[in-house]
Amino acid sequence: QVQLVESGGGSVQAGGSLRLSCAAFGYSNSMYSMYSMGWFRQVPGKDLEGVAIICSDGGSSTYYADSVKGRFTISQDNAKNSLSLQMNSLKPEDTAMYYCAADLRRGCRSSGLRYRGQGTQVTVSS
């Protein structure tokens, strides 16, 4: 069973930066084995939103939500079996619980990923 553990959330003022990390546990090289992995966020009362996704089925592709393009960067570190999200120029509307998610099934998935962490809170004040 794969477990994902997020870290790096916190409180920051608008315009600031945070870096989220997601470590995979359960078996060796599990993050390297994922075909879809990414970061999602949720605000109470709203649906889960895909923020940034890496797909590794037949190559590597990266997708970002329009609201974060140019500000957030997702990266995968296979040596450390982890996934990161660098968030720059943060805005109050980026405030949410951020989740790391991944899936071993082939194909590029932007929702319903099989494994998801417990989340880390990001709060951006104006």
Side-chain angles (χ1 to χ4, degrees):
Q1 180 71 12
V2 176
Q3 291 184 313
L4 303 177
V5 179
E6 304 96 337
S7 61
S11 297
V12 65
Q13 289 192 326
S17 298
L18 283 173
R19 185 177 181 86
L20 306 183
S21 294
C22 173
F25 301 92
Y27 62 92
S28 62
N29 300 320
S30 52
M31 197 62 78
Y32 177 80
S33 301
M34 299 296 177
Y35 284 102
S36 302
M37 65 208 83
W39 291 91
F40 298 76
R41 65 187 182 187
Q42 190 169 30
V43 175
K46 293 190 176 182
D47 292 336
L48 191 68
E49 175 191 18
V51 175
I53 296 169
I54 295 177
C55 292
S56 301
D57 192 355
S60 182
S61 301
T62 305
Y63 303 93
Y64 294 94
D66 289 341
S67 59
V68 306
K69 281 180 181 177
R71 301 188 298 122
F72 291 11
T73 303
I74 188 172
S75 60
Q76 180 184 4
D77 187 336
N78 292 328
K80 296 182 179 180
N81 204 23
S82 65
L83 186 71
S84 297
L85 183 69
Q86 178 66 41
M87 305 186 295
N88 298 327
S89 302
L90 283 161
K91 304 176 181 180
E93 51 264 43
D94 293 318
T95 296
M97 182 70 77
Y98 283 71
Y99 299 92
C100 169
D103 205 301
L104 286 165
R105 295 172 292 180
R106 295 204 65 173
C108 185
R109 302 174 189 275
S110 60
S111 63
L113 276 67
R114 181 164 289 175
Y115 305 107
R116 194 173 88 172
Q118 294 297 308
T120 184
Q121 178 68 37
V122 171
T123 302
V124 184
S125 58
S126 57

